Amino acid sequence: MAPLLFEDIFNIHKIDPDGKKFDKVSRIEAQSDKFDAFILLDINIDVYRINKDKRYTIGLATTLDLDGVADSGFYNQTSRETLADRYDYVMHGRTYRITDIDYEGQEKGEIFVSFGGLLMMMRVDKSVSKNFQLDQRLFLLMKRTE
């Protein structure tokens, strides 16, 4: 089983589109290349700096194990390589809402995830959103792409 449910390269178009709300958190708006996905994502900028008009690879996975073995909920302290080693920024959270919508004449799915209060909304084609489940544990993985 492949650990990644979704991965694409996103172009960040806006940072804090509704104004800055918190000192250490910024919200980004970005559009992806391959799946034409739109994402609103809160990021702890004290930990990971982001830049407008840059490209970032964002992935969503149910486990960090490279073989796709289900996550046990406990941190594995071994020195084995994980998916997290291939990215710069990782968050863990749960899906709290999944909806099907008609967006500009296309059937899309919206996936909402909370990463300990940092929120994500991703609007993507239903062929992708059908891979996600309500109350599913997810890892968001992010790295800058040149």
PDB file of all heavy atoms in Angstrom, residues 86-116:
ATOM      1  N   ARG A  86      11.874  12.984   3.956  1.00  0.00           N
ATOM      2  CA  ARG A  86      11.898  13.494   2.586  1.00  0.00           C
ATOM      3  C   ARG A  86      11.249  14.873   2.456  1.00  0.00           C
ATOM      4  O   ARG A  86      11.159  15.414   1.354  1.00  0.00           O
ATOM      5  CB  ARG A  86      11.178  12.505   1.670  1.00  0.00           C
ATOM      6  CG  ARG A  86      11.858  11.149   1.656  1.00  0.00           C
ATOM      7  CD  ARG A  86      11.117  10.162   0.815  1.00  0.00           C
ATOM      8  NE  ARG A  86      11.807   8.869   0.843  1.00  0.00           N
ATOM      9  CZ  ARG A  86      11.404   7.817   0.182  1.00  0.00           C
ATOM     10  NH1 ARG A  86      10.313   7.873  -0.557  1.00  0.00           N
ATOM     11  NH2 ARG A  86      12.077   6.688   0.262  1.00  0.00           N
ATOM     12  N   TYR A  87      10.761  15.415   3.559  1.00  0.00           N
ATOM     13  CA  TYR A  87      10.070  16.706   3.556  1.00  0.00           C
ATOM     14  C   TYR A  87      10.674  17.610   4.630  1.00  0.00           C
ATOM     15  O   TYR A  87      11.390  17.157   5.504  1.00  0.00           O
ATOM     16  CB  TYR A  87       8.576  16.517   3.810  1.00  0.00           C
ATOM     17  CG  TYR A  87       7.871  15.780   2.691  1.00  0.00           C
ATOM     18  CD1 TYR A  87       7.869  14.390   2.629  1.00  0.00           C
ATOM     19  CD2 TYR A  87       7.225  16.474   1.677  1.00  0.00           C
ATOM     20  CE1 TYR A  87       7.236  13.713   1.603  1.00  0.00           C
ATOM     21  CE2 TYR A  87       6.582  15.812   0.643  1.00  0.00           C
ATOM     22  CZ  TYR A  87       6.598  14.429   0.619  1.00  0.00           C
ATOM     23  OH  TYR A  87       5.976  13.771  -0.401  1.00  0.00           O
ATOM     24  N   ASP A  88      10.333  18.904   4.555  1.00  0.00           N
ATOM     25  CA  ASP A  88      10.857  19.886   5.498  1.00  0.00           C
ATOM     26  C   ASP A  88       9.909  20.182   6.653  1.00  0.00           C
ATOM     27  O   ASP A  88      10.331  20.629   7.710  1.00  0.00           O
ATOM     28  CB  ASP A  88      11.144  21.215   4.775  1.00  0.00           C
ATOM     29  CG  ASP A  88      12.117  21.051   3.625  1.00  0.00           C
ATOM     30  OD1 ASP A  88      13.045  20.219   3.747  1.00  0.00           O
ATOM     31  OD2 ASP A  88      11.946  21.729   2.601  1.00  0.00           O
ATOM     32  N   TYR A  89       8.617  19.994   6.440  1.00  0.00           N
ATOM     33  CA  TYR A  89       7.597  20.386   7.419  1.00  0.00           C
ATOM     34  C   TYR A  89       6.529  19.311   7.460  1.00  0.00           C
ATOM     35  O   TYR A  89       6.025  18.898   6.415  1.00  0.00           O
ATOM     36  CB  TYR A  89       6.994  21.727   6.985  1.00  0.00           C
ATOM     37  CG  TYR A  89       5.962  22.327   7.892  1.00  0.00           C
ATOM     38  CD1 TYR A  89       6.296  22.841   9.141  1.00  0.00           C
ATOM     39  CD2 TYR A  89       4.636  22.419   7.491  1.00  0.00           C
ATOM     40  CE1 TYR A  89       5.347  23.422   9.963  1.00  0.00           C
ATOM     41  CE2 TYR A  89       3.668  23.003   8.306  1.00  0.00           C
ATOM     42  CZ  TYR A  89       4.039  23.500   9.541  1.00  0.00           C
ATOM     43  OH  TYR A  89       3.085  24.084  10.344  1.00  0.00           O
ATOM     44  N   VAL A  90       6.202  18.832   8.671  1.00  0.00           N
ATOM     45  CA  VAL A  90       5.227  17.756   8.826  1.00  0.00           C
ATOM     46  C   VAL A  90       4.251  18.126   9.936  1.00  0.00           C
ATOM     47  O   VAL A  90       4.650  18.611  10.984  1.00  0.00           O
ATOM     48  CB  VAL A  90       5.923  16.412   9.181  1.00  0.00           C
ATOM     49  CG1 VAL A  90       4.903  15.296   9.360  1.00  0.00           C
ATOM     50  CG2 VAL A  90       6.944  16.033   8.127  1.00  0.00           C
ATOM     51  N   MET A  91       2.953  17.889   9.684  1.00  0.00           N
ATOM     52  CA  MET A  91       1.926  18.071  10.706  1.00  0.00           C
ATOM     53  C   MET A  91       1.064  16.811  10.750  1.00  0.00           C
ATOM     54  O   MET A  91       0.933  16.113   9.741  1.00  0.00           O
ATOM     55  CB  MET A  91       1.015  19.268  10.386  1.00  0.00           C
ATOM     56  CG  MET A  91       1.696  20.604  10.433  1.00  0.00           C
ATOM     57  SD  MET A  91       0.536  21.997  10.396  1.00  0.00           S
ATOM     58  CE  MET A  91      -0.133  21.904   8.731  1.00  0.00           C
ATOM     59  N   HIS A  92       0.463  16.556  11.904  1.00  0.00           N
ATOM     60  CA  HIS A  92      -0.420  15.410  12.071  1.00  0.00           C
ATOM     61  C   HIS A  92      -1.790  15.907  12.503  1.00  0.00           C
ATOM     62  O   HIS A  92      -1.904  16.768  13.359  1.00  0.00           O
ATOM     63  CB  HIS A  92       0.136  14.459  13.133  1.00  0.00           C
ATOM     64  CG  HIS A  92      -0.746  13.289  13.386  1.00  0.00           C
ATOM     65  ND1 HIS A  92      -1.618  13.235  14.445  1.00  0.00           N
ATOM     66  CD2 HIS A  92      -0.916  12.138  12.699  1.00  0.00           C
ATOM     67  CE1 HIS A  92      -2.272  12.090  14.410  1.00  0.00           C
ATOM     68  NE2 HIS A  92      -1.867  11.408  13.363  1.00  0.00           N
ATOM     69  N   GLY A  93      -2.848  15.375  11.880  1.00  0.00           N
ATOM     70  CA  GLY A  93      -4.188  15.810  12.237  1.00  0.00           C
ATOM     71  C   GLY A  93      -5.242  14.808  11.840  1.00  0.00           C
ATOM     72  O   GLY A  93      -4.941  13.656  11.517  1.00  0.00           O
ATOM     73  N   ARG A  94      -6.506  15.285  11.848  1.00  0.00           N
ATOM     74  CA  ARG A  94      -7.653  14.431  11.512  1.00  0.00           C
ATOM     75  C   ARG A  94      -8.611  15.180  10.599  1.00  0.00           C
ATOM     76  O   ARG A  94      -8.829  16.374  10.752  1.00  0.00           O
ATOM     77  CB  ARG A  94      -8.428  14.044  12.763  1.00  0.00           C
ATOM     78  CG  ARG A  94      -7.753  13.009  13.596  1.00  0.00           C
ATOM     79  CD  ARG A  94      -8.721  12.496  14.654  1.00  0.00           C
ATOM     80  NE  ARG A  94      -8.075  11.519  15.497  1.00  0.00           N
ATOM     81  CZ  ARG A  94      -8.105  10.225  15.307  1.00  0.00           C
ATOM     82  NH1 ARG A  94      -8.746   9.719  14.288  1.00  0.00           N
ATOM     83  NH2 ARG A  94      -7.503   9.405  16.133  1.00  0.00           N
ATOM     84  N   THR A  95      -9.204  14.417   9.682  1.00  0.00           N
ATOM     85  CA  THR A  95     -10.256  15.003   8.846  1.00  0.00           C
ATOM     86  C   THR A  95     -11.486  15.199   9.724  1.00  0.00           C
ATOM     87  O   THR A  95     -11.829  14.325  10.514  1.00  0.00           O
ATOM     88  CB  THR A  95     -10.616  14.104   7.655  1.00  0.00           C
ATOM     89  OG1 THR A  95     -11.008  12.830   8.140  1.00  0.00           O
ATOM     90  CG2 THR A  95      -9.468  13.962   6.685  1.00  0.00           C
ATOM     91  N   TYR A  96     -12.123  16.367   9.598  1.00  0.00           N
ATOM     92  CA  TYR A  96     -13.335  16.595  10.381  1.00  0.00           C
ATOM     93  C   TYR A  96     -14.546  16.885   9.503  1.00  0.00           C
ATOM     94  O   TYR A  96     -15.670  16.911   9.987  1.00  0.00           O
ATOM     95  CB  TYR A  96     -13.144  17.709  11.416  1.00  0.00           C
ATOM     96  CG  TYR A  96     -12.894  19.088  10.860  1.00  0.00           C
ATOM     97  CD1 TYR A  96     -13.951  19.955  10.610  1.00  0.00           C
ATOM     98  CD2 TYR A  96     -11.598  19.525  10.611  1.00  0.00           C
ATOM     99  CE1 TYR A  96     -13.727  21.224  10.107  1.00  0.00           C
ATOM    100  CE2 TYR A  96     -11.365  20.790  10.117  1.00  0.00           C
ATOM    101  CZ  TYR A  96     -12.426  21.637   9.873  1.00  0.00           C
ATOM    102  OH  TYR A  96     -12.191  22.899   9.382  1.00  0.00           O
ATOM    103  N   ARG A  97     -14.324  17.043   8.207  1.00  0.00           N
ATOM    104  CA  ARG A  97     -15.460  17.213   7.296  1.00  0.00           C
ATOM    105  C   ARG A  97     -14.996  16.924   5.872  1.00  0.00           C
ATOM    106  O   ARG A  97     -13.917  17.316   5.458  1.00  0.00           O
ATOM    107  CB  ARG A  97     -16.006  18.638   7.385  1.00  0.00           C
ATOM    108  CG  ARG A  97     -17.294  18.806   6.584  1.00  0.00           C
ATOM    109  CD  ARG A  97     -17.995  20.102   6.916  1.00  0.00           C
ATOM    110  NE  ARG A  97     -17.323  21.208   6.238  1.00  0.00           N
ATOM    111  CZ  ARG A  97     -17.514  22.481   6.543  1.00  0.00           C
ATOM    112  NH1 ARG A  97     -18.322  22.827   7.513  1.00  0.00           N
ATOM    113  NH2 ARG A  97     -16.888  23.425   5.885  1.00  0.00           N
ATOM    114  N   ILE A  98     -15.857  16.234   5.130  1.00  0.00           N
ATOM    115  CA  ILE A  98     -15.635  15.978   3.706  1.00  0.00           C
ATOM    116  C   ILE A  98     -16.967  16.235   3.018  1.00  0.00           C
ATOM    117  O   ILE A  98     -17.983  15.656   3.407  1.00  0.00           O
ATOM    118  CB  ILE A  98     -15.154  14.540   3.442  1.00  0.00           C
ATOM    119  CG1 ILE A  98     -13.836  14.266   4.168  1.00  0.00           C
ATOM    120  CG2 ILE A  98     -15.011  14.283   1.954  1.00  0.00           C
ATOM    121  CD1 ILE A  98     -13.387  12.817   4.133  1.00  0.00           C
ATOM    122  N   THR A  99     -16.952  17.109   2.025  1.00  0.00           N
ATOM    123  CA  THR A  99     -18.195  17.423   1.333  1.00  0.00           C
ATOM    124  C   THR A  99     -17.987  17.335  -0.175  1.00  0.00           C
ATOM    125  O   THR A  99     -16.896  17.600  -0.677  1.00  0.00           O
ATOM    126  CB  THR A  99     -18.696  18.842   1.679  1.00  0.00           C
ATOM    127  OG1 THR A  99     -17.684  19.788   1.348  1.00  0.00           O
ATOM    128  CG2 THR A  99     -19.037  18.977   3.141  1.00  0.00           C
ATOM    129  N   ASP A 100     -19.043  16.967  -0.875  1.00  0.00           N
ATOM    130  CA  ASP A 100     -19.052  16.995  -2.336  1.00  0.00           C
ATOM    131  C   ASP A 100     -19.758  18.271  -2.757  1.00  0.00           C
ATOM    132  O   ASP A 100     -20.815  18.609  -2.215  1.00  0.00           O
ATOM    133  CB  ASP A 100     -19.792  15.789  -2.897  1.00  0.00           C
ATOM    134  CG  ASP A 100     -19.069  14.483  -2.623  1.00  0.00           C
ATOM    135  OD1 ASP A 100     -17.839  14.510  -2.455  1.00  0.00           O
ATOM    136  OD2 ASP A 100     -19.739  13.438  -2.575  1.00  0.00           O
ATOM    137  N   ILE A 101     -19.153  18.990  -3.705  1.00  0.00           N
ATOM    138  CA  ILE A 101     -19.740  20.249  -4.149  1.00  0.00           C
ATOM    139  C   ILE A 101     -19.689  20.343  -5.670  1.00  0.00           C
ATOM    140  O   ILE A 101     -18.926  19.629  -6.321  1.00  0.00           O
ATOM    141  CB  ILE A 101     -19.015  21.476  -3.536  1.00  0.00           C
ATOM    142  CG1 ILE A 101     -17.552  21.530  -3.996  1.00  0.00           C
ATOM    143  CG2 ILE A 101     -19.111  21.483  -2.029  1.00  0.00           C
ATOM    144  CD1 ILE A 101     -16.887  22.859  -3.762  1.00  0.00           C
ATOM    145  N   ASP A 102     -20.502  21.232  -6.193  1.00  0.00           N
ATOM    146  CA  ASP A 102     -20.429  21.599  -7.602  1.00  0.00           C
ATOM    147  C   ASP A 102     -19.688  22.927  -7.652  1.00  0.00           C
ATOM    148  O   ASP A 102     -20.174  23.927  -7.147  1.00  0.00           O
ATOM    149  CB  ASP A 102     -21.829  21.743  -8.200  1.00  0.00           C
ATOM    150  CG  ASP A 102     -21.773  22.123  -9.673  1.00  0.00           C
ATOM    151  OD1 ASP A 102     -21.062  21.436 -10.426  1.00  0.00           O
ATOM    152  OD2 ASP A 102     -22.418  23.116 -10.050  1.00  0.00           O
ATOM    153  N   TYR A 103     -18.482  22.918  -8.197  1.00  0.00           N
ATOM    154  CA  TYR A 103     -17.657  24.126  -8.234  1.00  0.00           C
ATOM    155  C   TYR A 103     -17.385  24.496  -9.687  1.00  0.00           C
ATOM    156  O   TYR A 103     -16.697  23.759 -10.397  1.00  0.00           O
ATOM    157  CB  TYR A 103     -16.341  23.909  -7.472  1.00  0.00           C
ATOM    158  CG  TYR A 103     -15.472  25.133  -7.415  1.00  0.00           C
ATOM    159  CD1 TYR A 103     -15.755  26.163  -6.526  1.00  0.00           C
ATOM    160  CD2 TYR A 103     -14.375  25.262  -8.253  1.00  0.00           C
ATOM    161  CE1 TYR A 103     -14.962  27.291  -6.473  1.00  0.00           C
ATOM    162  CE2 TYR A 103     -13.580  26.390  -8.205  1.00  0.00           C
ATOM    163  CZ  TYR A 103     -13.882  27.405  -7.317  1.00  0.00           C
ATOM    164  OH  TYR A 103     -13.097  28.524  -7.267  1.00  0.00           O
ATOM    165  N   GLU A 104     -17.961  25.595 -10.115  1.00  0.00           N
ATOM    166  CA  GLU A 104     -17.796  26.087 -11.483  1.00  0.00           C
ATOM    167  C   GLU A 104     -18.110  24.999 -12.509  1.00  0.00           C
ATOM    168  O   GLU A 104     -17.380  24.789 -13.470  1.00  0.00           O
ATOM    169  CB  GLU A 104     -16.401  26.660 -11.695  1.00  0.00           C
ATOM    170  CG  GLU A 104     -16.115  27.865 -10.820  1.00  0.00           C
ATOM    171  CD  GLU A 104     -14.699  28.420 -10.999  1.00  0.00           C
ATOM    172  OE1 GLU A 104     -13.834  27.753 -11.632  1.00  0.00           O
ATOM    173  OE2 GLU A 104     -14.461  29.526 -10.497  1.00  0.00           O
ATOM    174  N   GLY A 105     -19.201  24.253 -12.259  1.00  0.00           N
ATOM    175  CA  GLY A 105     -19.654  23.233 -13.198  1.00  0.00           C
ATOM    176  C   GLY A 105     -18.924  21.909 -13.107  1.00  0.00           C
ATOM    177  O   GLY A 105     -19.169  21.013 -13.917  1.00  0.00           O
ATOM    178  N   GLN A 106     -18.023  21.769 -12.150  1.00  0.00           N
ATOM    179  CA  GLN A 106     -17.278  20.517 -11.990  1.00  0.00           C
ATOM    180  C   GLN A 106     -17.590  19.908 -10.632  1.00  0.00           C
ATOM    181  O   GLN A 106     -17.772  20.622  -9.645  1.00  0.00           O
ATOM    182  CB  GLN A 106     -15.778  20.766 -12.090  1.00  0.00           C
ATOM    183  CG  GLN A 106     -15.321  21.282 -13.436  1.00  0.00           C
ATOM    184  CD  GLN A 106     -13.815  21.529 -13.430  1.00  0.00           C
ATOM    185  OE1 GLN A 106     -13.220  21.789 -12.395  1.00  0.00           O
ATOM    186  NE2 GLN A 106     -13.212  21.444 -14.603  1.00  0.00           N
ATOM    187  N   GLU A 107     -17.633  18.584 -10.581  1.00  0.00           N
ATOM    188  CA  GLU A 107     -17.837  17.898  -9.307  1.00  0.00           C
ATOM    189  C   GLU A 107     -16.515  17.831  -8.562  1.00  0.00           C
ATOM    190  O   GLU A 107     -15.537  17.279  -9.066  1.00  0.00           O
ATOM    191  CB  GLU A 107     -18.387  16.498  -9.539  1.00  0.00           C
ATOM    192  CG  GLU A 107     -19.814  16.490 -10.033  1.00  0.00           C
ATOM    193  CD  GLU A 107     -20.396  15.094 -10.045  1.00  0.00           C
ATOM    194  OE1 GLU A 107     -19.899  14.220  -9.299  1.00  0.00           O
ATOM    195  OE2 GLU A 107     -21.342  14.874 -10.811  1.00  0.00           O
ATOM    196  N   LYS A 108     -16.504  18.430  -7.387  1.00  0.00           N
ATOM    197  CA  LYS A 108     -15.286  18.483  -6.567  1.00  0.00           C
ATOM    198  C   LYS A 108     -15.602  17.967  -5.176  1.00  0.00           C
ATOM    199  O   LYS A 108     -16.759  17.863  -4.774  1.00  0.00           O
ATOM    200  CB  LYS A 108     -14.773  19.925  -6.448  1.00  0.00           C
ATOM    201  CG  LYS A 108     -14.428  20.582  -7.766  1.00  0.00           C
ATOM    202  CD  LYS A 108     -13.002  20.363  -8.118  1.00  0.00           C
ATOM    203  CE  LYS A 108     -12.620  21.134  -9.365  1.00  0.00           C
ATOM    204  NZ  LYS A 108     -11.218  21.014  -9.678  1.00  0.00           N
ATOM    205  N   GLY A 109     -14.576  17.669  -4.440  1.00  0.00           N
ATOM    206  CA  GLY A 109     -14.696  17.322  -3.034  1.00  0.00           C
ATOM    207  C   GLY A 109     -13.889  18.311  -2.221  1.00  0.00           C
ATOM    208  O   GLY A 109     -12.833  18.776  -2.667  1.00  0.00           O
ATOM    209  N   GLU A 110     -14.401  18.670  -1.066  1.00  0.00           N
ATOM    210  CA  GLU A 110     -13.656  19.525  -0.141  1.00  0.00           C
ATOM    211  C   GLU A 110     -13.316  18.700   1.091  1.00  0.00           C
ATOM    212  O   GLU A 110     -14.191  18.078   1.693  1.00  0.00           O
ATOM    213  CB  GLU A 110     -14.458  20.760   0.248  1.00  0.00           C
ATOM    214  CG  GLU A 110     -14.570  21.760  -0.869  1.00  0.00           C
ATOM    215  CD  GLU A 110     -15.286  23.038  -0.480  1.00  0.00           C
ATOM    216  OE1 GLU A 110     -16.097  23.023   0.473  1.00  0.00           O
ATOM    217  OE2 GLU A 110     -15.046  24.053  -1.145  1.00  0.00           O
ATOM    218  N   ILE A 111     -12.043  18.700   1.438  1.00  0.00           N
ATOM    219  CA  ILE A 111     -11.533  17.931   2.570  1.00  0.00           C
ATOM    220  C   ILE A 111     -11.060  18.930   3.614  1.00  0.00           C
ATOM    221  O   ILE A 111     -10.237  19.803   3.318  1.00  0.00           O
ATOM    222  CB  ILE A 111     -10.369  17.019   2.131  1.00  0.00           C
ATOM    223  CG1 ILE A 111     -10.840  16.096   1.011  1.00  0.00           C
ATOM    224  CG2 ILE A 111      -9.816  16.243   3.308  1.00  0.00           C
ATOM    225  CD1 ILE A 111      -9.746  15.637   0.103  1.00  0.00           C
ATOM    226  N   PHE A 112     -11.577  18.809   4.827  1.00  0.00           N
ATOM    227  CA  PHE A 112     -11.216  19.701   5.922  1.00  0.00           C
ATOM    228  C   PHE A 112     -10.461  18.898   6.971  1.00  0.00           C
ATOM    229  O   PHE A 112     -10.929  17.852   7.423  1.00  0.00           O
ATOM    230  CB  PHE A 112     -12.469  20.311   6.553  1.00  0.00           C
ATOM    231  CG  PHE A 112     -13.249  21.199   5.612  1.00  0.00           C
ATOM    232  CD1 PHE A 112     -14.144  20.652   4.705  1.00  0.00           C
ATOM    233  CD2 PHE A 112     -13.078  22.574   5.641  1.00  0.00           C
ATOM    234  CE1 PHE A 112     -14.868  21.453   3.834  1.00  0.00           C
ATOM    235  CE2 PHE A 112     -13.794  23.388   4.776  1.00  0.00           C
ATOM    236  CZ  PHE A 112     -14.690  22.833   3.878  1.00  0.00           C
ATOM    237  N   VAL A 113      -9.292  19.413   7.375  1.00  0.00           N
ATOM    238  CA  VAL A 113      -8.444  18.723   8.343  1.00  0.00           C
ATOM    239  C   VAL A 113      -8.002  19.721   9.400  1.00  0.00           C
ATOM    240  O   VAL A 113      -7.682  20.868   9.083  1.00  0.00           O
ATOM    241  CB  VAL A 113      -7.196  18.104   7.662  1.00  0.00           C
ATOM    242  CG1 VAL A 113      -6.358  17.321   8.667  1.00  0.00           C
ATOM    243  CG2 VAL A 113      -7.583  17.221   6.492  1.00  0.00           C
ATOM    244  N   SER A 114      -7.984  19.275  10.650  1.00  0.00           N
ATOM    245  CA  SER A 114      -7.437  20.077  11.739  1.00  0.00           C
ATOM    246  C   SER A 114      -6.141  19.434  12.203  1.00  0.00           C
ATOM    247  O   SER A 114      -6.109  18.249  12.526  1.00  0.00           O
ATOM    248  CB  SER A 114      -8.414  20.172  12.903  1.00  0.00           C
ATOM    249  OG  SER A 114      -7.822  20.890  13.977  1.00  0.00           O
ATOM    250  N   PHE A 115      -5.086  20.220  12.215  1.00  0.00           N
ATOM    251  CA  PHE A 115      -3.780  19.776  12.701  1.00  0.00           C
ATOM    252  C   PHE A 115      -3.530  20.472  14.042  1.00  0.00           C
ATOM    253  O   PHE A 115      -2.787  21.441  14.127  1.00  0.00           O
ATOM    254  CB  PHE A 115      -2.675  20.137  11.699  1.00  0.00           C
ATOM    255  CG  PHE A 115      -2.879  19.519  10.347  1.00  0.00           C
ATOM    256  CD1 PHE A 115      -3.443  20.255   9.318  1.00  0.00           C
ATOM    257  CD2 PHE A 115      -2.501  18.214  10.103  1.00  0.00           C
ATOM    258  CE1 PHE A 115      -3.634  19.697   8.064  1.00  0.00           C
ATOM    259  CE2 PHE A 115      -2.692  17.645   8.852  1.00  0.00           C
ATOM    260  CZ  PHE A 115      -3.257  18.387   7.832  1.00  0.00           C
ATOM    261  N   GLY A 116      -4.239  20.030  15.066  1.00  0.00           N
ATOM    262  CA  GLY A 116      -4.094  20.644  16.385  1.00  0.00           C
ATOM    263  C   GLY A 116      -4.500  22.106  16.398  1.00  0.00           C
ATOM    264  O   GLY A 116      -3.906  22.908  17.108  1.00  0.00           O
TER     265      GLY A 116
END
